[in-house]
Amino acid sequence: MMVTVEDCILGNSGLHDRFFAVTEVLARLVSSAPRSVSIAQIEEETGRPEKEITKLCAALARDGLLRPDPHAPERWMLACEASLVTLEDVFRCVLATQQTRCRPGGRNAADRVPNDVDLLVMQAMIAINQSVFTHLRQFSLDRLKISAAGMFPAPRSSTQSHFANKAFDVAFT
């Protein structure tokens, strides 16, 4: 099967795969909330290796979306109500993880003098980021808890996502 640009978030298959993996882990936790879930349970349900799940849970905990279960080691739980977690939070977590993994290559960006192209691309990236975040913010993960009876999630108690106060601009590489 050939993967097309439309099959990937922002045309980046690596970013898409990480976004999907983080969402998949969070989906398992949302469906069990408020109970905690073990790494083994997540591994069994997602088919992802324990090492990957452990890293994803640690990243989600750093971003304040998960917390370890204080009563059971190797178990994780949501740090807030499922209705407060949006795909924007997932995306920001993925981007933060990606930024820590990226190492600058070539000339040191701090030593380079910005030019008109840098300014133009930076302005475009800010606009794209704002648009992406606005759209992802509309999808809370409590949609995953909708029952087969056709129930709809409760309205979010806050119109701002978990990361709303952690504004930052990200350049996609």
Side-chain angles (χ1 to χ4, degrees):
M1 178 176 163
M2 186 173 164
V3 176
T4 65
V5 171
E6 292 82 18
D7 296 330
C8 302
I9 294 174
L10 300 176
N12 182 324
S13 64
L15 181 64
H16 178 86
D17 292 342
R18 285 188 302 277
F19 181 80
F20 190 86
V22 171
T23 305
E24 199 171 34
V25 168
L26 274 172
R28 179 63 181 103
L29 286 141
V30 164
S31 68
S32 296
R35 297 178 316 274
S36 63
V37 178
S38 72
I39 297 290
Q41 288 171 309
I42 299 170
E43 181 180 17
E44 183 179 319
E45 184 152 320
T46 65
R48 295 187 181 276
E50 178 184 347
K51 186 176 179 179
E52 178 185 10
I53 293 167
T54 301
K55 286 181 181 179
L56 293 173
C57 287
L60 288 162
R62 275 191 307 273
D63 287 342
L65 296 171
L66 295 186
R67 62 183 171 98
D69 186 328
H71 305 294
E74 297 289 321
R75 295 182 70 87
W76 294 89
M77 54 198 322
L78 287 177
C80 61
E81 291 294 320
S83 64
L84 298 178
V85 182
T86 67
L87 288 179
E88 178 188 15
D89 300 321
V90 172
F91 194 61
R92 287 182 182 272
C93 178
V94 168
L95 292 177
T97 303
Q98 179 180 351
Q99 286 179 336
T100 61
R101 293 180 359 172
C102 293
R103 302 288 180 250
R107 290 191 299 179
N108 187 348
D111 294 339
R112 199 165 71 74
V113 176
N115 60 36
D116 292 342
V117 172
D118 294 319
L119 180 60
L120 178 65
V121 170
M122 180 181 70
Q123 290 170 341
M125 294 312 302
I126 289 170
I128 290 167
N129 289 344
Q130 289 172 347
S131 177
V132 168
F133 294 148
T134 298
H135 290 288
L136 291 175
R137 191 175 302 132
Q138 297 173 21
F139 297 92
S140 69
L141 273 76
D142 66 338
R143 288 180 179 209
L144 300 171
K145 290 187 97 168
I146 298 173
S147 71
M151 300 295 290
F152 292 95
R156 292 177 59 192
S157 60
S158 169
T159 58
Q160 293 190 353
S161 73
H162 173 75
F163 286 104
N165 294 327
K166 295 182 181 181
F168 62 92
D169 297 315
V170 180
F172 301 100
T173 57

